Structures are given as C-alpha cells and as structure tokens.
C-alpha cells in the first residue's frame, strides 16, 4: 500500500467498501495521529487495542499500520466500540468510546437494512449510493465529540510481539508455536489435533 495515499483512500482500499463503521474508524485513526503526534506505524511504534471486530478496525489497521499480522493490533472480544491507541515513543495512549447514539440516525438504520439484503433492486442500489453520500457528509463533518468520548489514559501498552519457536505436532506434523502446544500421552499436540483427537487420549 502506498504510504502517500490519503488516509481515507487507504481505508477504503483495504476494507473494500465504504460504510459508516469504516468512516468512524477513519475519524478515530486521524484523531489519534494528531493527538499523539504520530504518523503511520512501521515497526510497532504504535499499538491499537480494539474491543470489537467491526468495520472500524480496518480503518485503524490501514491508516495507523497497527495490524493483526504485526502483532500491534490487540483484539479483546468485548463487543464494544472502544479503541485505545498508544505510542511507545511518546509513552502516551488515548481511549475512544463511540457514543451509543452516534450511528442512530434514521439514515444509518436504513443503510444497515440495505446492507443486510442479499439482493437489491435498482431503486435500492440508487438509494444506497445516495445514503453513502449523506453518511459520508454526516460522519466526516461531525464534531469529534458528537461521535466519540475520548480521554488520555495511562500508558500501559504490552511489549513488542515476541517470536516463539515452532515445533512439529506429534500427530499431524504441522509446525505449531511452542507456547501453544498441549502436552499429552501422544506427545506435543497442536490445538487442532488436541480438539479433534484429545478425547481419545485416555482410551
Ligand atoms: Zn464495512
Ligand atoms: Zn496437529
């Protein structure tokens, strides 16, 4: 991905479509960059802790460079639109909590309805396109406080992702991270073999 691409473009290209959730993530990522005085992450200078796996998280990955693969995107499955972004260099972190009614406007509800349909009539396609325009305007021009509550929080960001040794599973022979093996009577098993054959171990 081109680093000179505008943040919004980065997010849309990465996510594949434009939707209210993605735009909320764009607002968070841009606010965090400005507040923390940081650019896009190269080598885990930034860390994002996300408490949802919604569309917004893709904007955070694309714009901030906090990604699942790099290990500086930490997912807590709490079902909350809460995002904490921290900078190791600045020892600073900021927490964002989406206002419960931020996406409650009728246009958002209608957009979600259309989004969930498997096929759209040509009228609905046109309606959806218009809604995207309206939603874009609403989210991108809203004051930040209309969308999120935010505050600086104590910097308690985990250490950089560690690289662990890979060993072969005693059953399937596939490589598995040493910290994830389960020691059994059949030897050191990967989690999938343990899940599949674990029950037979005492037979
Ligand atoms: Zn989306
Ligand atoms: Zn295995």
């Amino acid at each position: 991905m081109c680093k000179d691409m505008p943040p919004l473009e980065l997010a849309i290209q990465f996510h594949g479509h434009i939707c209210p959730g993605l735009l909320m993530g764009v607002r968070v990522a841009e606010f965090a960059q400005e507040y923390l005085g940081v650019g896009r992450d190269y080598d885990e200078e930034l860390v994002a802790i996300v408490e949802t796996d919604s569309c917004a998280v893709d904007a955070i990955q694309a714009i901030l460079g906090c990604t699942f693969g790099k290990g500086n995107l930490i997912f807590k499955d709490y079902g909350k639109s809460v995002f904490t972004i921290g900078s190791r260099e600045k020892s600073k972190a900021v927490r964002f909590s989406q206002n419960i009614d931020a996406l409650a406007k009728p246009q958002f509800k209608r957009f979600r309805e259309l989004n969930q349909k498997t096929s759209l009539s040509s009228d609905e396609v046109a309606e959806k396109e218009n809604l995207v325009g309206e939603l874009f305007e609403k989210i991108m021009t809203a004051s930040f406080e209309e969308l999120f509550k935010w505050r600086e929080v104590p910097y308690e960001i985990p250490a950089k992702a560690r690289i662990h040794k890979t060993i072969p599973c005693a059953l399937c022979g596939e490589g598995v991270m040493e910290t994830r093996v389960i020691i059994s009577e059949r030897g050191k098993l990967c989690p999938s073999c343990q899940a599949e054959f674990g029950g037979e171990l005492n037979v």
Side-chain angles (χ1 to χ4, degrees):
M1 253 182 278
C2 172
K3 67 175 168 26
D4 299 324
M5 208 185 264
L8 180 65
E9 290 296 312
L10 277 173
I12 297 170
Q13 197 188 71
F14 182 71
H15 188 53
H17 66 221
I18 182 165
C19 65
L22 186 75
L23 295 174
M24 295 297 275
V26 171
R27 293 293 309 263
V28 163
E30 290 191 316
F31 190 101
Q33 278 183 326
E34 201 177 313
Y35 186 78
L36 298 170
V38 295
R40 190 169 192 273
D41 178 81
Y42 284 96
D43 188 26
E44 298 184 54
E45 303 87 32
L46 295 178
V47 177
I49 301 167
V50 300
E51 298 181 24
T52 173
D53 58 358
S54 70
C55 297
V57 177
D58 277 357
I60 288 169
Q61 295 197 81
I63 297 170
L64 296 178
C66 295
T67 67
F68 189 54
K70 232 193 276 176
N72 58 345
L73 177 80
I74 296 162
F75 171 49
K76 293 185 175 173
D77 192 6
Y78 294 168
K80 293 174 74 179
S81 289
V82 170
F83 314 95
T84 304
I85 317 290
S87 159
R88 287 183 214 283
E89 282 166 359
K90 310 270 163 107
S91 291
K92 236 173 147 179
V94 57
R95 180 185 191 273
F96 302 93
S97 165
Q98 187 176 304
N99 291 335
I100 200 156
D101 57 357
L103 296 180
K105 296 186 173 70
Q107 298 100 311
F108 293 109
K109 281 188 186 153
R110 180 68 184 140
F111 180 85
R112 279 195 290 270
E113 262 171 40
L114 292 172
N115 223 12
Q116 269 160 13
K117 287 195 165 189
T118 41
S119 67
L120 296 178
S121 69
S122 56
D123 280 357
E124 286 172 331
V125 170
E127 188 190 354
K128 195 174 162 188
E129 264 168 35
N130 281 333
L131 278 174
V132 167
E134 265 185 61
L135 301 174
F136 183 86
E137 190 65 26
K138 283 238 173 345
I139 296 173
M140 298 311 282
T141 62
S143 73
F144 197 74
E145 284 68 23
E146 267 180 70
L147 306 175
F148 292 94
K149 286 181 191 57
W150 66 275
R151 61 188 160 91
E152 196 171 322
V153 289
Y155 178 83
E156 287 163 4
I157 299 295
K160 281 192 177 191
R162 265 197 262 141
I163 296 170
H164 297 284
K165 215 172 123 189
T166 295
I167 61 166
C169 166
L171 275 184
C172 67
E174 291 177 353
V176 54
M177 204 189 281
E178 201 177 24
T179 52
R180 303 302 307 276
V181 299
I182 297 123
I183 296 167
S184 77
E185 290 162 24
R186 295 189 184 190
K188 292 179 175 175
L189 301 189
C190 71
S192 44
C193 285
Q194 169 62 24
E196 202 171 339
F197 308 109
E200 300 171 19
L201 291 177
N202 297 324
V203 176

